[in-house]
Amino acid sequence: MKKNGKIIIIVVGIIIVVALLILIYFKTAFISENEVKDIVADNMSVSSSDLYFESIDFEMDKSVYEVEVYYQNRDYEYKIDAKDGKIIYTDFNTTDSITNDNSSNNNNSNNNSNTNGSSNNGNNATTASIPLDEAKNIALTHANLTEDAVQFLRTEQEYDDGVLVYEIDFTHGDYEYDYKINANTGEVVSYDRDSIYD
């Protein structure tokens, strides 16, 4: 009986030592999630508190962190080497800024004028009767929330079934809200509320 007890104690001791060694290996071999956030923030030349990290997933088989992050209403992806912190892939361009929305709309305008022989359709894409701030307020009022209680993820203007709308996405607590607001009438075209854990 005493012999079995000693064997059990030795086995448990070995398991604990192995677990500690594995933990030490992971702590020393791979960078932490906070370091990943700092790497992304440094690459974007902003503070990590200015970013909304939707997910930071560690892919063990590839030794890579896959990151989804929002900045200035745009989402970006990063793949970061979990050992040395090197950025393997990102769709963030250092020249990206919120003002580039206008240049992309101008590009759309040029494309539309080329295909339709007229630039009117392109101009309509950026012409709305109500401003973006008013559309945000409509969405927030509908959700019974205030601007200081939410974090905006995306605000874009686009056509939905031929109707110019603002797409407004924001989070509050454990929920993400998705709104489409008619850019000319202010009507809530559609809305959705989902848990951020889904």
mmCIF file of all heavy atoms in Angstrom, residues 21-67:
data_model
loop_
_atom_site.group_PDB
_atom_site.id
_atom_site.type_symbol
_atom_site.label_atom_id
_atom_site.label_comp_id
_atom_site.label_asym_id
_atom_site.label_seq_id
_atom_site.Cartn_x
_atom_site.Cartn_y
_atom_site.Cartn_z
ATOM 1 N N LEU A 21 7.321 22.996 -16.949
ATOM 2 C CA LEU A 21 8.284 23.156 -18.042
ATOM 3 C C LEU A 21 7.594 23.617 -19.329
ATOM 4 O O LEU A 21 8.108 24.471 -20.049
ATOM 5 C CB LEU A 21 9.045 21.844 -18.277
ATOM 6 C CG LEU A 21 10.052 21.457 -17.186
ATOM 7 C CD1 LEU A 21 10.613 20.063 -17.447
ATOM 8 C CD2 LEU A 21 11.180 22.482 -17.104
ATOM 9 N N ILE A 22 6.426 23.034 -19.614
ATOM 10 C CA ILE A 22 5.661 23.449 -20.802
ATOM 11 C C ILE A 22 5.252 24.907 -20.674
ATOM 12 O O ILE A 22 5.365 25.687 -21.626
ATOM 13 C CB ILE A 22 4.433 22.537 -21.006
ATOM 14 C CG1 ILE A 22 4.895 21.131 -21.426
ATOM 15 C CG2 ILE A 22 3.481 23.124 -22.037
ATOM 16 C CD1 ILE A 22 3.783 20.100 -21.462
ATOM 17 N N LEU A 23 4.767 25.301 -19.484
ATOM 18 C CA LEU A 23 4.358 26.685 -19.247
ATOM 19 C C LEU A 23 5.541 27.635 -19.424
ATOM 20 O O LEU A 23 5.419 28.685 -20.086
ATOM 21 C CB LEU A 23 3.767 26.819 -17.835
ATOM 22 C CG LEU A 23 3.226 28.190 -17.458
ATOM 23 C CD1 LEU A 23 2.036 28.548 -18.348
ATOM 24 C CD2 LEU A 23 2.818 28.224 -16.005
ATOM 25 N N ILE A 24 6.694 27.272 -18.862
ATOM 26 C CA ILE A 24 7.890 28.102 -19.002
ATOM 27 C C ILE A 24 8.296 28.205 -20.476
ATOM 28 O O ILE A 24 8.659 29.284 -20.964
ATOM 29 C CB ILE A 24 9.052 27.533 -18.151
ATOM 30 C CG1 ILE A 24 8.742 27.730 -16.662
ATOM 31 C CG2 ILE A 24 10.374 28.189 -18.512
ATOM 32 C CD1 ILE A 24 9.655 26.973 -15.730
ATOM 33 N N TYR A 25 8.199 27.099 -21.207
ATOM 34 C CA TYR A 25 8.532 27.105 -22.634
ATOM 35 C C TYR A 25 7.652 28.094 -23.384
ATOM 36 O O TYR A 25 8.138 28.913 -24.177
ATOM 37 C CB TYR A 25 8.374 25.702 -23.217
ATOM 38 C CG TYR A 25 8.470 25.667 -24.725
ATOM 39 C CD1 TYR A 25 9.689 25.828 -25.377
ATOM 40 C CD2 TYR A 25 7.326 25.510 -25.502
ATOM 41 C CE1 TYR A 25 9.776 25.824 -26.753
ATOM 42 C CE2 TYR A 25 7.407 25.499 -26.885
ATOM 43 C CZ TYR A 25 8.631 25.654 -27.506
ATOM 44 O OH TYR A 25 8.700 25.653 -28.863
ATOM 45 N N PHE A 26 6.321 28.031 -23.131
ATOM 46 C CA PHE A 26 5.411 28.930 -23.849
ATOM 47 C C PHE A 26 5.652 30.386 -23.464
ATOM 48 O O PHE A 26 5.553 31.279 -24.305
ATOM 49 C CB PHE A 26 3.950 28.541 -23.594
ATOM 50 C CG PHE A 26 3.476 27.446 -24.491
ATOM 51 C CD1 PHE A 26 3.344 26.146 -24.020
ATOM 52 C CD2 PHE A 26 3.182 27.688 -25.813
ATOM 53 C CE1 PHE A 26 2.916 25.130 -24.854
ATOM 54 C CE2 PHE A 26 2.760 26.681 -26.659
ATOM 55 C CZ PHE A 26 2.633 25.392 -26.176
ATOM 56 N N LYS A 27 5.980 30.624 -22.197
ATOM 57 C CA LYS A 27 6.224 31.999 -21.754
ATOM 58 C C LYS A 27 7.494 32.567 -22.386
ATOM 59 O O LYS A 27 7.580 33.759 -22.653
ATOM 60 C CB LYS A 27 6.334 32.049 -20.222
ATOM 61 C CG LYS A 27 5.028 31.853 -19.502
ATOM 62 C CD LYS A 27 4.267 33.146 -19.466
ATOM 63 C CE LYS A 27 3.054 33.005 -18.561
ATOM 64 N NZ LYS A 27 2.220 34.179 -18.613
ATOM 65 N N THR A 28 8.487 31.708 -22.595
ATOM 66 C CA THR A 28 9.765 32.199 -23.121
ATOM 67 C C THR A 28 9.879 32.062 -24.644
ATOM 68 O O THR A 28 10.594 32.823 -25.277
ATOM 69 C CB THR A 28 10.939 31.447 -22.462
ATOM 70 O OG1 THR A 28 10.781 30.045 -22.676
ATOM 71 C CG2 THR A 28 11.004 31.732 -20.977
ATOM 72 N N ALA A 29 9.174 31.102 -25.222
ATOM 73 C CA ALA A 29 9.318 30.845 -26.661
ATOM 74 C C ALA A 29 8.413 31.728 -27.509
ATOM 75 O O ALA A 29 8.741 32.027 -28.659
ATOM 76 C CB ALA A 29 9.040 29.382 -26.968
ATOM 77 N N PHE A 30 7.262 32.143 -26.978
ATOM 78 C CA PHE A 30 6.287 32.900 -27.761
ATOM 79 C C PHE A 30 6.011 34.251 -27.125
ATOM 80 O O PHE A 30 6.021 34.388 -25.899
ATOM 81 C CB PHE A 30 4.973 32.113 -27.893
ATOM 82 C CG PHE A 30 5.134 30.767 -28.539
ATOM 83 C CD1 PHE A 30 4.970 29.608 -27.803
ATOM 84 C CD2 PHE A 30 5.475 30.656 -29.876
ATOM 85 C CE1 PHE A 30 5.127 28.362 -28.397
ATOM 86 C CE2 PHE A 30 5.631 29.421 -30.478
ATOM 87 C CZ PHE A 30 5.461 28.271 -29.727
ATOM 88 N N ILE A 31 5.741 35.232 -27.976
ATOM 89 C CA ILE A 31 5.395 36.559 -27.473
ATOM 90 C C ILE A 31 3.970 36.540 -26.930
ATOM 91 O O ILE A 31 3.156 35.698 -27.306
ATOM 92 C CB ILE A 31 5.559 37.635 -28.572
ATOM 93 C CG1 ILE A 31 4.614 37.359 -29.743
ATOM 94 C CG2 ILE A 31 6.999 37.719 -29.034
ATOM 95 C CD1 ILE A 31 4.618 38.448 -30.806
ATOM 96 N N SER A 32 3.663 37.482 -26.054
ATOM 97 C CA SER A 32 2.335 37.537 -25.427
ATOM 98 C C SER A 32 1.350 38.321 -26.295
ATOM 99 O O SER A 32 1.752 39.019 -27.241
ATOM 100 C CB SER A 32 2.437 38.203 -24.055
ATOM 101 O OG SER A 32 2.745 39.586 -24.212
ATOM 102 N N GLU A 33 0.065 38.225 -25.957
ATOM 103 C CA GLU A 33 -0.960 38.975 -26.702
ATOM 104 C C GLU A 33 -0.748 40.481 -26.555
ATOM 105 O O GLU A 33 -1.001 41.241 -27.492
ATOM 106 C CB GLU A 33 -2.362 38.574 -26.234
ATOM 107 C CG GLU A 33 -2.785 37.211 -26.712
ATOM 108 C CD GLU A 33 -4.265 36.940 -26.491
ATOM 109 O OE1 GLU A 33 -5.012 37.872 -26.126
ATOM 110 O OE2 GLU A 33 -4.663 35.782 -26.693
ATOM 111 N N ASN A 34 -0.299 40.919 -25.378
ATOM 112 C CA ASN A 34 -0.024 42.350 -25.189
ATOM 113 C C ASN A 34 1.105 42.818 -26.103
ATOM 114 O O ASN A 34 1.059 43.925 -26.642
ATOM 115 C CB ASN A 34 0.319 42.649 -23.728
ATOM 116 C CG ASN A 34 -0.918 42.632 -22.840
ATOM 117 O OD1 ASN A 34 -2.030 42.843 -23.306
ATOM 118 N ND2 ASN A 34 -0.714 42.369 -21.563
ATOM 119 N N GLU A 35 2.117 41.969 -26.279
ATOM 120 C CA GLU A 35 3.196 42.311 -27.203
ATOM 121 C C GLU A 35 2.682 42.371 -28.641
ATOM 122 O O GLU A 35 3.104 43.226 -29.421
ATOM 123 C CB GLU A 35 4.333 41.291 -27.084
ATOM 124 C CG GLU A 35 5.115 41.406 -25.768
ATOM 125 C CD GLU A 35 6.136 40.305 -25.596
ATOM 126 O OE1 GLU A 35 5.729 39.123 -25.530
ATOM 127 O OE2 GLU A 35 7.337 40.631 -25.523
ATOM 128 N N VAL A 36 1.754 41.468 -28.974
ATOM 129 C CA VAL A 36 1.145 41.487 -30.309
ATOM 130 C C VAL A 36 0.419 42.813 -30.525
ATOM 131 O O VAL A 36 0.563 43.455 -31.575
ATOM 132 C CB VAL A 36 0.165 40.300 -30.480
ATOM 133 C CG1 VAL A 36 -0.667 40.465 -31.739
ATOM 134 C CG2 VAL A 36 0.929 38.980 -30.505
ATOM 135 N N LYS A 37 -0.350 43.253 -29.526
ATOM 136 C CA LYS A 37 -1.064 44.532 -29.637
ATOM 137 C C LYS A 37 -0.091 45.681 -29.851
ATOM 138 O O LYS A 37 -0.332 46.572 -30.675
ATOM 139 C CB LYS A 37 -1.900 44.773 -28.377
ATOM 140 C CG LYS A 37 -3.099 43.857 -28.244
ATOM 141 C CD LYS A 37 -3.871 44.163 -26.968
ATOM 142 C CE LYS A 37 -5.074 43.247 -26.838
ATOM 143 N NZ LYS A 37 -5.854 43.545 -25.615
ATOM 144 N N ASP A 38 1.027 45.658 -29.106
ATOM 145 C CA ASP A 38 2.023 46.725 -29.251
ATOM 146 C C ASP A 38 2.663 46.714 -30.636
ATOM 147 O O ASP A 38 2.905 47.768 -31.224
ATOM 148 C CB ASP A 38 3.105 46.580 -28.181
ATOM 149 C CG ASP A 38 2.589 46.908 -26.772
ATOM 150 O OD1 ASP A 38 1.550 47.589 -26.674
ATOM 151 O OD2 ASP A 38 3.226 46.471 -25.800
ATOM 152 N N ILE A 39 2.909 45.515 -31.173
ATOM 153 C CA ILE A 39 3.509 45.400 -32.509
ATOM 154 C C ILE A 39 2.571 45.993 -33.565
ATOM 155 O O ILE A 39 2.982 46.740 -34.449
ATOM 156 C CB ILE A 39 3.838 43.928 -32.827
ATOM 157 C CG1 ILE A 39 5.020 43.459 -31.969
ATOM 158 C CG2 ILE A 39 4.146 43.732 -34.309
ATOM 159 C CD1 ILE A 39 5.221 41.958 -31.943
ATOM 160 N N VAL A 40 1.272 45.655 -33.466
ATOM 161 C CA VAL A 40 0.282 46.182 -34.408
ATOM 162 C C VAL A 40 0.194 47.703 -34.278
ATOM 163 O O VAL A 40 0.207 48.432 -35.275
ATOM 164 C CB VAL A 40 -1.094 45.523 -34.186
ATOM 165 C CG1 VAL A 40 -2.172 46.226 -35.006
ATOM 166 C CG2 VAL A 40 -1.042 44.043 -34.529
ATOM 167 N N ALA A 41 0.114 48.190 -33.033
ATOM 168 C CA ALA A 41 0.010 49.628 -32.810
ATOM 169 C C ALA A 41 1.233 50.356 -33.348
ATOM 170 O O ALA A 41 1.110 51.409 -33.982
ATOM 171 C CB ALA A 41 -0.173 49.912 -31.319
ATOM 172 N N ASP A 42 2.429 49.797 -33.122
ATOM 173 C CA ASP A 42 3.652 50.416 -33.644
ATOM 174 C C ASP A 42 3.631 50.465 -35.166
ATOM 175 O O ASP A 42 4.013 51.464 -35.776
ATOM 176 C CB ASP A 42 4.891 49.644 -33.180
ATOM 177 C CG ASP A 42 5.209 49.885 -31.707
ATOM 178 O OD1 ASP A 42 4.650 50.839 -31.133
ATOM 179 O OD2 ASP A 42 6.003 49.109 -31.140
ATOM 180 N N ASN A 43 3.174 49.374 -35.788
ATOM 181 C CA ASN A 43 3.125 49.323 -37.242
ATOM 182 C C ASN A 43 2.162 50.364 -37.806
ATOM 183 O O ASN A 43 2.407 50.939 -38.862
ATOM 184 C CB ASN A 43 2.725 47.922 -37.708
ATOM 185 C CG ASN A 43 2.667 47.816 -39.219
ATOM 186 O OD1 ASN A 43 1.596 47.789 -39.806
ATOM 187 N ND2 ASN A 43 3.831 47.772 -39.848
ATOM 188 N N MET A 44 1.076 50.624 -37.069
ATOM 189 C CA MET A 44 0.074 51.595 -37.538
ATOM 190 C C MET A 44 0.380 53.007 -37.040
ATOM 191 O O MET A 44 -0.359 53.944 -37.353
ATOM 192 C CB MET A 44 -1.322 51.147 -37.074
ATOM 193 C CG MET A 44 -1.734 49.801 -37.644
ATOM 194 S SD MET A 44 -3.323 49.207 -37.003
ATOM 195 C CE MET A 44 -4.446 50.009 -38.144
ATOM 196 N N SER A 45 1.451 53.146 -36.236
ATOM 197 C CA SER A 45 1.865 54.446 -35.681
ATOM 198 C C SER A 45 0.771 55.087 -34.839
ATOM 199 O O SER A 45 0.505 56.293 -34.953
ATOM 200 C CB SER A 45 2.300 55.398 -36.801
ATOM 201 O OG SER A 45 3.381 54.841 -37.512
ATOM 202 N N VAL A 46 0.112 54.264 -34.012
ATOM 203 C CA VAL A 46 -0.917 54.768 -33.106
ATOM 204 C C VAL A 46 -0.723 54.099 -31.751
ATOM 205 O O VAL A 46 0.091 53.195 -31.593
ATOM 206 C CB VAL A 46 -2.349 54.471 -33.632
ATOM 207 C CG1 VAL A 46 -2.604 55.200 -34.932
ATOM 208 C CG2 VAL A 46 -2.581 52.985 -33.778
ATOM 209 N N SER A 47 -1.509 54.533 -30.776
ATOM 210 C CA SER A 47 -1.501 53.881 -29.464
ATOM 211 C C SER A 47 -2.415 52.660 -29.514
ATOM 212 O O SER A 47 -3.450 52.678 -30.191
ATOM 213 C CB SER A 47 -1.996 54.865 -28.406
ATOM 214 O OG SER A 47 -2.280 54.188 -27.210
ATOM 215 N N SER A 48 -2.055 51.609 -28.795
ATOM 216 C CA SER A 48 -2.892 50.398 -28.816
ATOM 217 C C SER A 48 -4.275 50.679 -28.251
ATOM 218 O O SER A 48 -5.234 49.986 -28.570
ATOM 219 C CB SER A 48 -2.226 49.252 -28.053
ATOM 220 O OG SER A 48 -1.971 49.614 -26.721
ATOM 221 N N SER A 49 -4.412 51.727 -27.414
ATOM 222 C CA SER A 49 -5.736 52.075 -26.866
ATOM 223 C C SER A 49 -6.650 52.680 -27.931
ATOM 224 O O SER A 49 -7.863 52.739 -27.749
ATOM 225 C CB SER A 49 -5.584 53.046 -25.695
ATOM 226 O OG SER A 49 -4.961 54.241 -26.121
ATOM 227 N N ASP A 50 -6.073 53.124 -29.059
ATOM 228 C CA ASP A 50 -6.875 53.666 -30.164
ATOM 229 C C ASP A 50 -7.440 52.569 -31.056
ATOM 230 O O ASP A 50 -8.238 52.844 -31.953
ATOM 231 C CB ASP A 50 -6.035 54.609 -31.039
ATOM 232 C CG ASP A 50 -5.615 55.857 -30.286
ATOM 233 O OD1 ASP A 50 -6.332 56.249 -29.351
ATOM 234 O OD2 ASP A 50 -4.561 56.432 -30.630
ATOM 235 N N LEU A 51 -7.002 51.337 -30.821
ATOM 236 C CA LEU A 51 -7.399 50.220 -31.676
ATOM 237 C C LEU A 51 -8.421 49.343 -30.967
ATOM 238 O O LEU A 51 -8.412 49.226 -29.741
ATOM 239 C CB LEU A 51 -6.176 49.373 -32.038
ATOM 240 C CG LEU A 51 -5.032 50.115 -32.730
ATOM 241 C CD1 LEU A 51 -3.832 49.194 -32.883
ATOM 242 C CD2 LEU A 51 -5.486 50.622 -34.090
ATOM 243 N N TYR A 52 -9.294 48.728 -31.761
ATOM 244 C CA TYR A 52 -10.235 47.740 -31.232
ATOM 245 C C TYR A 52 -9.834 46.379 -31.799
ATOM 246 O O TYR A 52 -9.935 46.146 -32.997
ATOM 247 C CB TYR A 52 -11.678 48.082 -31.630
ATOM 248 C CG TYR A 52 -12.656 47.003 -31.247
ATOM 249 C CD1 TYR A 52 -13.022 46.822 -29.922
ATOM 250 C CD2 TYR A 52 -13.190 46.153 -32.212
ATOM 251 C CE1 TYR A 52 -13.908 45.818 -29.562
ATOM 252 C CE2 TYR A 52 -14.067 45.146 -31.859
ATOM 253 C CZ TYR A 52 -14.427 44.986 -30.540
ATOM 254 O OH TYR A 52 -15.302 43.984 -30.183
ATOM 255 N N PHE A 53 -9.338 45.515 -30.922
ATOM 256 C CA PHE A 53 -8.908 44.185 -31.344
ATOM 257 C C PHE A 53 -10.098 43.235 -31.267
ATOM 258 O O PHE A 53 -10.558 42.897 -30.176
ATOM 259 C CB PHE A 53 -7.762 43.689 -30.466
ATOM 260 C CG PHE A 53 -6.472 44.428 -30.701
ATOM 261 C CD1 PHE A 53 -6.173 45.586 -29.991
ATOM 262 C CD2 PHE A 53 -5.571 43.978 -31.643
ATOM 263 C CE1 PHE A 53 -5.001 46.269 -30.213
ATOM 264 C CE2 PHE A 53 -4.382 44.660 -31.877
ATOM 265 C CZ PHE A 53 -4.098 45.809 -31.159
ATOM 266 N N GLU A 54 -10.605 42.853 -32.435
ATOM 267 C CA GLU A 54 -11.749 41.942 -32.454
ATOM 268 C C GLU A 54 -11.316 40.524 -32.101
ATOM 269 O O GLU A 54 -12.027 39.815 -31.389
ATOM 270 C CB GLU A 54 -12.433 41.949 -33.819
ATOM 271 C CG GLU A 54 -13.652 41.050 -33.840
ATOM 272 C CD GLU A 54 -14.614 41.388 -34.949
ATOM 273 O OE1 GLU A 54 -14.616 42.524 -35.437
ATOM 274 O OE2 GLU A 54 -15.374 40.488 -35.315
ATOM 275 N N SER A 55 -10.153 40.092 -32.582
ATOM 276 C CA SER A 55 -9.662 38.764 -32.229
ATOM 277 C C SER A 55 -8.151 38.698 -32.359
ATOM 278 O O SER A 55 -7.563 39.350 -33.212
ATOM 279 C CB SER A 55 -10.307 37.693 -33.113
ATOM 280 O OG SER A 55 -9.906 37.846 -34.453
ATOM 281 N N ILE A 56 -7.557 37.920 -31.450
ATOM 282 C CA ILE A 56 -6.129 37.597 -31.518
ATOM 283 C C ILE A 56 -6.051 36.089 -31.302
ATOM 284 O O ILE A 56 -6.195 35.601 -30.187
ATOM 285 C CB ILE A 56 -5.317 38.336 -30.439
ATOM 286 C CG1 ILE A 56 -5.476 39.852 -30.579
ATOM 287 C CG2 ILE A 56 -3.847 37.943 -30.511
ATOM 288 C CD1 ILE A 56 -4.787 40.652 -29.489
ATOM 289 N N ASP A 57 -5.892 35.352 -32.400
ATOM 290 C CA ASP A 57 -5.901 33.885 -32.345
ATOM 291 C C ASP A 57 -4.491 33.343 -32.534
ATOM 292 O O ASP A 57 -3.796 33.723 -33.482
ATOM 293 C CB ASP A 57 -6.816 33.307 -33.436
ATOM 294 C CG ASP A 57 -8.265 33.717 -33.236
ATOM 295 O OD1 ASP A 57 -8.688 33.813 -32.069
ATOM 296 O OD2 ASP A 57 -8.958 33.963 -34.235
ATOM 297 N N PHE A 58 -4.101 32.438 -31.640
ATOM 298 C CA PHE A 58 -2.787 31.813 -31.733
ATOM 299 C C PHE A 58 -2.923 30.492 -32.476
ATOM 300 O O PHE A 58 -3.633 29.591 -32.051
ATOM 301 C CB PHE A 58 -2.205 31.582 -30.332
ATOM 302 C CG PHE A 58 -0.866 30.888 -30.348
ATOM 303 C CD1 PHE A 58 0.194 31.418 -31.070
ATOM 304 C CD2 PHE A 58 -0.668 29.719 -29.645
ATOM 305 C CE1 PHE A 58 1.432 30.786 -31.078
ATOM 306 C CE2 PHE A 58 0.566 29.083 -29.647
ATOM 307 C CZ PHE A 58 1.622 29.616 -30.362
ATOM 308 N N GLU A 59 -2.265 30.403 -33.640
ATOM 309 C CA GLU A 59 -2.264 29.173 -34.430
ATOM 310 C C GLU A 59 -1.013 28.377 -34.060
ATOM 311 O O GLU A 59 0.084 28.677 -34.525
ATOM 312 C CB GLU A 59 -2.270 29.507 -35.927
ATOM 313 C CG GLU A 59 -3.462 30.320 -36.388
ATOM 314 C CD GLU A 59 -4.766 29.556 -36.317
ATOM 315 O OE1 GLU A 59 -4.723 28.319 -36.450
ATOM 316 O OE2 GLU A 59 -5.810 30.182 -36.107
ATOM 317 N N MET A 60 -1.199 27.383 -33.185
ATOM 318 C CA MET A 60 -0.074 26.621 -32.649
ATOM 319 C C MET A 60 0.734 25.927 -33.743
ATOM 320 O O MET A 60 1.961 25.963 -33.729
ATOM 321 C CB MET A 60 -0.612 25.574 -31.667
ATOM 322 C CG MET A 60 0.452 24.628 -31.153
ATOM 323 S SD MET A 60 1.407 25.312 -29.828
ATOM 324 C CE MET A 60 0.292 25.145 -28.481
ATOM 325 N N ASP A 61 0.035 25.317 -34.719
ATOM 326 C CA ASP A 61 0.749 24.544 -35.736
ATOM 327 C C ASP A 61 1.631 25.421 -36.628
ATOM 328 O O ASP A 61 2.631 24.964 -37.177
ATOM 329 C CB ASP A 61 -0.234 23.729 -36.587
ATOM 330 C CG ASP A 61 -1.320 24.588 -37.217
ATOM 331 O OD1 ASP A 61 -1.645 25.650 -36.659
ATOM 332 O OD2 ASP A 61 -1.857 24.194 -38.272
ATOM 333 N N LYS A 62 1.273 26.716 -36.759
ATOM 334 C CA LYS A 62 2.055 27.622 -37.605
ATOM 335 C C LYS A 62 2.919 28.581 -36.794
ATOM 336 O O LYS A 62 3.700 29.342 -37.361
ATOM 337 C CB LYS A 62 1.116 28.445 -38.496
ATOM 338 C CG LYS A 62 0.220 27.621 -39.397
ATOM 339 C CD LYS A 62 -0.759 28.531 -40.106
ATOM 340 C CE LYS A 62 -1.790 27.726 -40.874
ATOM 341 N NZ LYS A 62 -2.867 28.560 -41.397
ATOM 342 N N SER A 63 2.748 28.568 -35.459
ATOM 343 C CA SER A 63 3.427 29.535 -34.578
ATOM 344 C C SER A 63 3.162 30.962 -35.038
ATOM 345 O O SER A 63 4.067 31.778 -35.176
ATOM 346 C CB SER A 63 4.934 29.272 -34.527
ATOM 347 O OG SER A 63 5.192 28.042 -33.918
ATOM 348 N N VAL A 64 1.887 31.248 -35.277
ATOM 349 C CA VAL A 64 1.483 32.555 -35.800
ATOM 350 C C VAL A 64 0.278 33.074 -35.025
ATOM 351 O O VAL A 64 -0.616 32.310 -34.658
ATOM 352 C CB VAL A 64 1.111 32.428 -37.308
ATOM 353 C CG1 VAL A 64 0.388 33.652 -37.806
ATOM 354 C CG2 VAL A 64 2.359 32.188 -38.137
ATOM 355 N N TYR A 65 0.276 34.379 -34.763
ATOM 356 C CA TYR A 65 -0.906 35.053 -34.244
ATOM 357 C C TYR A 65 -1.672 35.634 -35.432
ATOM 358 O O TYR A 65 -1.093 36.342 -36.255
ATOM 359 C CB TYR A 65 -0.529 36.195 -33.302
ATOM 360 C CG TYR A 65 -0.170 35.771 -31.903
ATOM 361 C CD1 TYR A 65 1.155 35.720 -31.496
ATOM 362 C CD2 TYR A 65 -1.155 35.446 -30.976
ATOM 363 C CE1 TYR A 65 1.500 35.346 -30.204
ATOM 364 C CE2 TYR A 65 -0.825 35.069 -29.677
ATOM 365 C CZ TYR A 65 0.502 35.028 -29.298
ATOM 366 O OH TYR A 65 0.830 34.657 -28.018
ATOM 367 N N GLU A 66 -2.968 35.322 -35.510
ATOM 368 C CA GLU A 66 -3.834 35.943 -36.518
ATOM 369 C C GLU A 66 -4.681 36.992 -35.809
ATOM 370 O O GLU A 66 -5.399 36.680 -34.856
ATOM 371 C CB GLU A 66 -4.693 34.891 -37.206
ATOM 372 C CG GLU A 66 -3.866 33.945 -38.061
ATOM 373 C CD GLU A 66 -4.712 33.037 -38.927
ATOM 374 O OE1 GLU A 66 -5.956 33.069 -38.801
ATOM 375 O OE2 GLU A 66 -4.123 32.293 -39.730
ATOM 376 N N VAL A 67 -4.585 38.219 -36.276
ATOM 377 C CA VAL A 67 -5.186 39.357 -35.588
ATOM 378 C C VAL A 67 -6.183 40.060 -36.503
ATOM 379 O O VAL A 67 -5.890 40.296 -37.673
ATOM 380 C CB VAL A 67 -4.100 40.364 -35.150
ATOM 381 C CG1 VAL A 67 -4.715 41.527 -34.389
ATOM 382 C CG2 VAL A 67 -3.028 39.672 -34.331
#
